[in-house]
PDB file of all heavy atoms in Angstrom:
ATOM      1  N   GLU A 161      92.617  75.700  93.202  1.00 95.00           N
ATOM      2  CA  GLU A 161      93.522  75.595  92.059  1.00 95.00           C
ATOM      3  C   GLU A 161      94.008  76.978  91.654  1.00 95.00           C
ATOM      4  O   GLU A 161      93.505  77.986  92.145  1.00 95.00           O
ATOM      5  CB  GLU A 161      92.786  74.959  90.872  1.00 95.00           C
ATOM      6  CG  GLU A 161      92.151  73.627  91.195  1.00 95.00           C
ATOM      7  CD  GLU A 161      91.083  73.238  90.181  1.00 95.00           C
ATOM      8  OE1 GLU A 161      90.376  74.118  89.653  1.00 95.00           O
ATOM      9  OE2 GLU A 161      90.963  72.036  89.937  1.00 95.00           O
ATOM     10  N   LEU A 162      94.936  77.003  90.715  1.00 97.00           N
ATOM     11  CA  LEU A 162      95.468  78.254  90.193  1.00 97.00           C
ATOM     12  C   LEU A 162      94.349  79.145  89.646  1.00 97.00           C
ATOM     13  O   LEU A 162      94.386  80.367  89.777  1.00 97.00           O
ATOM     14  CB  LEU A 162      96.508  77.967  89.108  1.00 97.00           C
ATOM     15  CG  LEU A 162      97.203  79.165  88.484  1.00 97.00           C
ATOM     16  CD1 LEU A 162      97.909  79.994  89.541  1.00 97.00           C
ATOM     17  CD2 LEU A 162      98.177  78.697  87.424  1.00 97.00           C
ATOM     18  N   THR A 163      93.323  78.538  89.057  1.00 97.00           N
ATOM     19  CA  THR A 163      92.224  79.321  88.491  1.00 97.00           C
ATOM     20  C   THR A 163      91.512  80.159  89.563  1.00 97.00           C
ATOM     21  O   THR A 163      90.962  81.214  89.242  1.00 97.00           O
ATOM     22  CB  THR A 163      91.200  78.418  87.775  1.00 97.00           C
ATOM     23  OG1 THR A 163      90.768  77.403  88.677  1.00 97.00           O
ATOM     24  CG2 THR A 163      91.790  77.791  86.536  1.00 97.00           C
ATOM     25  N   ASP A 164      91.526  79.727  90.812  1.00 97.00           N
ATOM     26  CA  ASP A 164      90.901  80.496  91.885  1.00 97.00           C
ATOM     27  C   ASP A 164      91.649  81.807  92.113  1.00 97.00           C
ATOM     28  O   ASP A 164      91.041  82.865  92.254  1.00 97.00           O
ATOM     29  CB  ASP A 164      90.840  79.684  93.178  1.00 97.00           C
ATOM     30  CG  ASP A 164      89.934  78.477  93.051  1.00 97.00           C
ATOM     31  OD1 ASP A 164      88.773  78.660  92.656  1.00 97.00           O
ATOM     32  OD2 ASP A 164      90.393  77.360  93.333  1.00 97.00           O
ATOM     33  N   ALA A 165      92.985  81.744  92.128  1.00 97.00           N
ATOM     34  CA  ALA A 165      93.795  82.961  92.289  1.00 97.00           C
ATOM     35  C   ALA A 165      93.643  83.874  91.081  1.00 97.00           C
ATOM     36  O   ALA A 165      93.515  85.095  91.224  1.00 97.00           O
ATOM     37  CB  ALA A 165      95.256  82.589  92.507  1.00 97.00           C
ATOM     38  N   VAL A 166      93.632  83.293  89.886  1.00 97.00           N
ATOM     39  CA  VAL A 166      93.497  84.084  88.657  1.00 97.00           C
ATOM     40  C   VAL A 166      92.140  84.777  88.620  1.00 97.00           C
ATOM     41  O   VAL A 166      92.043  85.963  88.271  1.00 97.00           O
ATOM     42  CB  VAL A 166      93.717  83.208  87.405  1.00 97.00           C
ATOM     43  CG1 VAL A 166      93.377  83.962  86.134  1.00 97.00           C
ATOM     44  CG2 VAL A 166      95.152  82.698  87.362  1.00 97.00           C
ATOM     45  N   LEU A 167      91.065  84.076  88.987  1.00 98.00           N
ATOM     46  CA  LEU A 167      89.737  84.681  89.002  1.00 98.00           C
ATOM     47  C   LEU A 167      89.707  85.877  89.940  1.00 98.00           C
ATOM     48  O   LEU A 167      89.190  86.942  89.588  1.00 98.00           O
ATOM     49  CB  LEU A 167      88.685  83.655  89.419  1.00 98.00           C
ATOM     50  CG  LEU A 167      87.228  84.134  89.362  1.00 98.00           C
ATOM     51  CD1 LEU A 167      86.307  82.970  88.985  1.00 98.00           C
ATOM     52  CD2 LEU A 167      86.762  84.749  90.642  1.00 98.00           C
ATOM     53  N   LEU A 168      90.285  85.730  91.130  1.00 97.00           N
ATOM     54  CA  LEU A 168      90.280  86.825  92.094  1.00 97.00           C
ATOM     55  C   LEU A 168      91.122  87.996  91.594  1.00 97.00           C
ATOM     56  O   LEU A 168      90.697  89.152  91.673  1.00 97.00           O
ATOM     57  CB  LEU A 168      90.763  86.342  93.463  1.00 97.00           C
ATOM     58  CG  LEU A 168      90.680  87.351  94.603  1.00 97.00           C
ATOM     59  CD1 LEU A 168      89.267  87.903  94.756  1.00 97.00           C
ATOM     60  CD2 LEU A 168      91.145  86.706  95.902  1.00 97.00           C
ATOM     61  N   LEU A 169      92.298  87.722  91.045  1.00 97.00           N
ATOM     62  CA  LEU A 169      93.136  88.791  90.481  1.00 97.00           C
ATOM     63  C   LEU A 169      92.415  89.526  89.359  1.00 97.00           C
ATOM     64  O   LEU A 169      92.434  90.761  89.290  1.00 97.00           O
ATOM     65  CB  LEU A 169      94.441  88.211  89.937  1.00 97.00           C
ATOM     66  CG  LEU A 169      95.576  88.020  90.907  1.00 97.00           C
ATOM     67  CD1 LEU A 169      96.719  87.278  90.233  1.00 97.00           C
ATOM     68  CD2 LEU A 169      96.051  89.354  91.453  1.00 97.00           C
ATOM     69  N   ASN A 170      91.814  88.782  88.463  1.00 97.00           N
ATOM     70  CA  ASN A 170      91.086  89.361  87.334  1.00 97.00           C
ATOM     71  C   ASN A 170      89.945  90.255  87.829  1.00 97.00           C
ATOM     72  O   ASN A 170      89.703  91.331  87.293  1.00 97.00           O
ATOM     73  CB  ASN A 170      90.569  88.246  86.429  1.00 97.00           C
ATOM     74  CG  ASN A 170      90.026  88.748  85.121  1.00 97.00           C
ATOM     75  OD1 ASN A 170      90.477  89.755  84.584  1.00 97.00           O
ATOM     76  ND2 ASN A 170      89.045  88.047  84.590  1.00 97.00           N
ATOM     77  N   HIS A 171      89.259  89.806  88.870  1.00 97.00           N
ATOM     78  CA  HIS A 171      88.152  90.596  89.412  1.00 97.00           C
ATOM     79  C   HIS A 171      88.663  91.869  90.095  1.00 97.00           C
ATOM     80  O   HIS A 171      88.101  92.949  89.910  1.00 97.00           O
ATOM     81  CB  HIS A 171      87.337  89.757  90.398  1.00 97.00           C
ATOM     82  CG  HIS A 171      86.229  90.523  91.034  1.00 97.00           C
ATOM     83  ND1 HIS A 171      85.159  91.016  90.327  1.00 97.00           N
ATOM     84  CD2 HIS A 171      86.041  90.917  92.321  1.00 97.00           C
ATOM     85  CE1 HIS A 171      84.346  91.663  91.146  1.00 97.00           C
ATOM     86  NE2 HIS A 171      84.860  91.617  92.353  1.00 97.00           N
ATOM     87  N   LEU A 172      89.730  91.742  90.877  1.00 95.00           N
ATOM     88  CA  LEU A 172      90.235  92.881  91.634  1.00 95.00           C
ATOM     89  C   LEU A 172      90.861  93.961  90.761  1.00 95.00           C
ATOM     90  O   LEU A 172      90.697  95.153  91.018  1.00 95.00           O
ATOM     91  CB  LEU A 172      91.263  92.416  92.670  1.00 95.00           C
ATOM     92  CG  LEU A 172      90.754  91.564  93.821  1.00 95.00           C
ATOM     93  CD1 LEU A 172      91.918  91.028  94.639  1.00 95.00           C
ATOM     94  CD2 LEU A 172      89.793  92.353  94.703  1.00 95.00           C
ATOM     95  N   PHE A 173      91.597  93.545  89.719  1.00 96.00           N
ATOM     96  CA  PHE A 173      92.400  94.510  88.966  1.00 96.00           C
ATOM     97  C   PHE A 173      91.936  94.759  87.537  1.00 96.00           C
ATOM     98  O   PHE A 173      92.404  95.687  86.899  1.00 96.00           O
ATOM     99  CB  PHE A 173      93.865  94.075  88.972  1.00 96.00           C
ATOM    100  CG  PHE A 173      94.445  94.071  90.356  1.00 96.00           C
ATOM    101  CD1 PHE A 173      94.684  92.882  91.022  1.00 96.00           C
ATOM    102  CD2 PHE A 173      94.720  95.258  91.012  1.00 96.00           C
ATOM    103  CE1 PHE A 173      95.204  92.873  92.305  1.00 96.00           C
ATOM    104  CE2 PHE A 173      95.239  95.269  92.293  1.00 96.00           C
ATOM    105  CZ  PHE A 173      95.479  94.073  92.943  1.00 96.00           C
ATOM    106  N   ARG A 174      91.043  93.920  87.017  1.00 96.00           N
ATOM    107  CA  ARG A 174      90.610  94.109  85.634  1.00 96.00           C
ATOM    108  C   ARG A 174      89.089  94.091  85.481  1.00 96.00           C
ATOM    109  O   ARG A 174      88.578  93.930  84.391  1.00 96.00           O
ATOM    110  CB  ARG A 174      91.243  93.035  84.754  1.00 96.00           C
ATOM    111  CG  ARG A 174      92.775  93.090  84.795  1.00 96.00           C
ATOM    112  CD  ARG A 174      93.419  92.217  83.785  1.00 96.00           C
ATOM    113  NE  ARG A 174      92.896  92.409  82.463  1.00 96.00           N
ATOM    114  CZ  ARG A 174      93.487  93.095  81.492  1.00 96.00           C
ATOM    115  NH1 ARG A 174      94.631  93.668  81.720  1.00 96.00           N
ATOM    116  NH2 ARG A 174      92.944  93.177  80.303  1.00 96.00           N
ATOM    117  N   SER A 175      88.383  94.211  86.586  1.00 93.00           N
ATOM    118  CA  SER A 175      86.913  94.226  86.592  1.00 93.00           C
ATOM    119  C   SER A 175      86.322  92.979  85.946  1.00 93.00           C
ATOM    120  O   SER A 175      85.289  93.037  85.283  1.00 93.00           O
ATOM    121  CB  SER A 175      86.382  95.479  85.894  1.00 93.00           C
ATOM    122  OG  SER A 175      86.832  96.633  86.561  1.00 93.00           O
ATOM    123  N   GLY A 176      86.984  91.855  86.152  1.00 96.00           N
ATOM    124  CA  GLY A 176      86.500  90.574  85.635  1.00 96.00           C
ATOM    125  C   GLY A 176      85.329  90.075  86.466  1.00 96.00           C
ATOM    126  O   GLY A 176      84.882  90.729  87.411  1.00 96.00           O
ATOM    127  N   PRO A 177      84.833  88.878  86.128  1.00 97.00           N
ATOM    128  CA  PRO A 177      83.691  88.321  86.856  1.00 97.00           C
ATOM    129  C   PRO A 177      83.993  88.158  88.345  1.00 97.00           C
ATOM    130  O   PRO A 177      85.122  87.863  88.726  1.00 97.00           O
ATOM    131  CB  PRO A 177      83.451  86.963  86.196  1.00 97.00           C
ATOM    132  CG  PRO A 177      84.468  86.805  85.134  1.00 97.00           C
ATOM    133  CD  PRO A 177      85.340  88.009  85.103  1.00 97.00           C
ATOM    134  N   ALA A 178      82.977  88.339  89.152  1.00 96.00           N
ATOM    135  CA  ALA A 178      83.113  88.220  90.607  1.00 96.00           C
ATOM    136  C   ALA A 178      83.188  86.754  91.014  1.00 96.00           C
ATOM    137  O   ALA A 178      82.708  85.869  90.292  1.00 96.00           O
ATOM    138  CB  ALA A 178      81.914  88.871  91.285  1.00 96.00           C
ATOM    139  N   PRO A 179      83.783  86.486  92.173  1.00 96.00           N
ATOM    140  CA  PRO A 179      83.718  85.130  92.718  1.00 96.00           C
ATOM    141  C   PRO A 179      82.263  84.709  92.889  1.00 96.00           C
ATOM    142  O   PRO A 179      81.365  85.544  92.992  1.00 96.00           O
ATOM    143  CB  PRO A 179      84.406  85.264  94.076  1.00 96.00           C
ATOM    144  CG  PRO A 179      85.315  86.444  93.927  1.00 96.00           C
ATOM    145  CD  PRO A 179      84.569  87.384  93.012  1.00 96.00           C
ATOM    146  N   ARG A 180      82.035  83.401  92.942  1.00 95.00           N
ATOM    147  CA  ARG A 180      80.668  82.890  93.137  1.00 95.00           C
ATOM    148  C   ARG A 180      80.170  83.272  94.525  1.00 95.00           C
ATOM    149  O   ARG A 180      80.941  83.642  95.396  1.00 95.00           O
ATOM    150  CB  ARG A 180      80.651  81.378  92.943  1.00 95.00           C
ATOM    151  CG  ARG A 180      80.998  81.047  91.495  1.00 95.00           C
ATOM    152  CD  ARG A 180      80.524  79.738  90.975  1.00 95.00           C
ATOM    153  NE  ARG A 180      79.395  79.123  91.588  1.00 95.00           N
ATOM    154  CZ  ARG A 180      78.177  79.068  91.043  1.00 95.00           C
ATOM    155  NH1 ARG A 180      77.945  79.620  89.885  1.00 95.00           N
ATOM    156  NH2 ARG A 180      77.202  78.437  91.652  1.00 95.00           N
ATOM    157  N   LEU A 181      78.879  83.153  94.733  1.00 93.00           N
ATOM    158  CA  LEU A 181      78.278  83.485  96.025  1.00 93.00           C
ATOM    159  C   LEU A 181      78.788  82.550  97.114  1.00 93.00           C
ATOM    160  O   LEU A 181      79.071  81.389  96.822  1.00 93.00           O
ATOM    161  CB  LEU A 181      76.758  83.376  95.923  1.00 93.00           C
ATOM    162  CG  LEU A 181      76.098  84.384  94.992  1.00 93.00           C
ATOM    163  CD1 LEU A 181      74.603  84.101  94.895  1.00 93.00           C
ATOM    164  CD2 LEU A 181      76.340  85.806  95.441  1.00 93.00           C
ATOM    165  N   PRO A 182      78.949  82.992  98.327  1.00 93.00           N
ATOM    166  CA  PRO A 182      78.585  84.299  98.838  1.00 93.00           C
ATOM    167  C   PRO A 182      79.654  85.354  98.548  1.00 93.00           C
ATOM    168  O   PRO A 182      80.797  85.225  98.977  1.00 93.00           O
ATOM    169  CB  PRO A 182      78.446  84.078 100.339  1.00 93.00           C
ATOM    170  CG  PRO A 182      79.342  82.917 100.636  1.00 93.00           C
ATOM    171  CD  PRO A 182      79.351  82.084  99.393  1.00 93.00           C
ATOM    172  N   TYR A 183      79.278  86.351  97.809  1.00 92.00           N
ATOM    173  CA  TYR A 183      80.115  87.492  97.459  1.00 92.00           C
ATOM    174  C   TYR A 183      79.198  88.591  96.967  1.00 92.00           C
ATOM    175  O   TYR A 183      78.251  88.288  96.258  1.00 92.00           O
ATOM    176  CB  TYR A 183      81.116  87.121  96.351  1.00 92.00           C
ATOM    177  CG  TYR A 183      82.016  88.275  95.986  1.00 92.00           C
ATOM    178  CD1 TYR A 183      83.208  88.456  96.644  1.00 92.00           C
ATOM    179  CD2 TYR A 183      81.636  89.183  95.008  1.00 92.00           C
ATOM    180  CE1 TYR A 183      84.027  89.531  96.336  1.00 92.00           C
ATOM    181  CE2 TYR A 183      82.455  90.260  94.703  1.00 92.00           C
ATOM    182  CZ  TYR A 183      83.640  90.432  95.366  1.00 92.00           C
ATOM    183  OH  TYR A 183      84.449  91.493  95.075  1.00 92.00           O
ATOM    184  N   PRO A 184      79.355  89.811  97.311  1.00 90.00           N
ATOM    185  CA  PRO A 184      80.394  90.421  98.145  1.00 90.00           C
ATOM    186  C   PRO A 184      80.050  90.443  99.635  1.00 90.00           C
ATOM    187  O   PRO A 184      80.866  90.828 100.445  1.00 90.00           O
ATOM    188  CB  PRO A 184      80.463  91.850  97.606  1.00 90.00           C
ATOM    189  CG  PRO A 184      79.065  92.162  97.197  1.00 90.00           C
ATOM    190  CD  PRO A 184      78.513  90.839  96.680  1.00 90.00           C
ATOM    191  N   MET A 185      78.841  90.021  99.976  1.00 88.00           N
ATOM    192  CA  MET A 185      78.440  90.009 101.379  1.00 88.00           C
ATOM    193  C   MET A 185      78.636  88.606 101.960  1.00 88.00           C
ATOM    194  O   MET A 185      78.555  87.628 101.231  1.00 88.00           O
ATOM    195  CB  MET A 185      76.970  90.419 101.508  1.00 88.00           C
ATOM    196  CG  MET A 185      76.671  91.825 101.001  1.00 88.00           C
ATOM    197  SD  MET A 185      77.618  93.108 101.830  1.00 88.00           S
ATOM    198  CE  MET A 185      77.002  92.963 103.493  1.00 88.00           C
ATOM    199  N   PRO A 186      78.875  88.516 103.269  1.00 88.00           N
ATOM    200  CA  PRO A 186      79.045  87.198 103.884  1.00 88.00           C
ATOM    201  C   PRO A 186      77.796  86.341 103.726  1.00 88.00           C
ATOM    202  O   PRO A 186      76.680  86.837 103.673  1.00 88.00           O
ATOM    203  CB  PRO A 186      79.281  87.525 105.364  1.00 88.00           C
ATOM    204  CG  PRO A 186      79.716  88.938 105.393  1.00 88.00           C
ATOM    205  CD  PRO A 186      79.046  89.606 104.231  1.00 88.00           C
TER     206      PRO A 186
END
């Protein structure tokens, strides 16, 4: 959903919460 893109953008550019596991390692 759109929230998936927003979560990733927020994390990459505004230090928002990270995606759920597995992250940041495979």
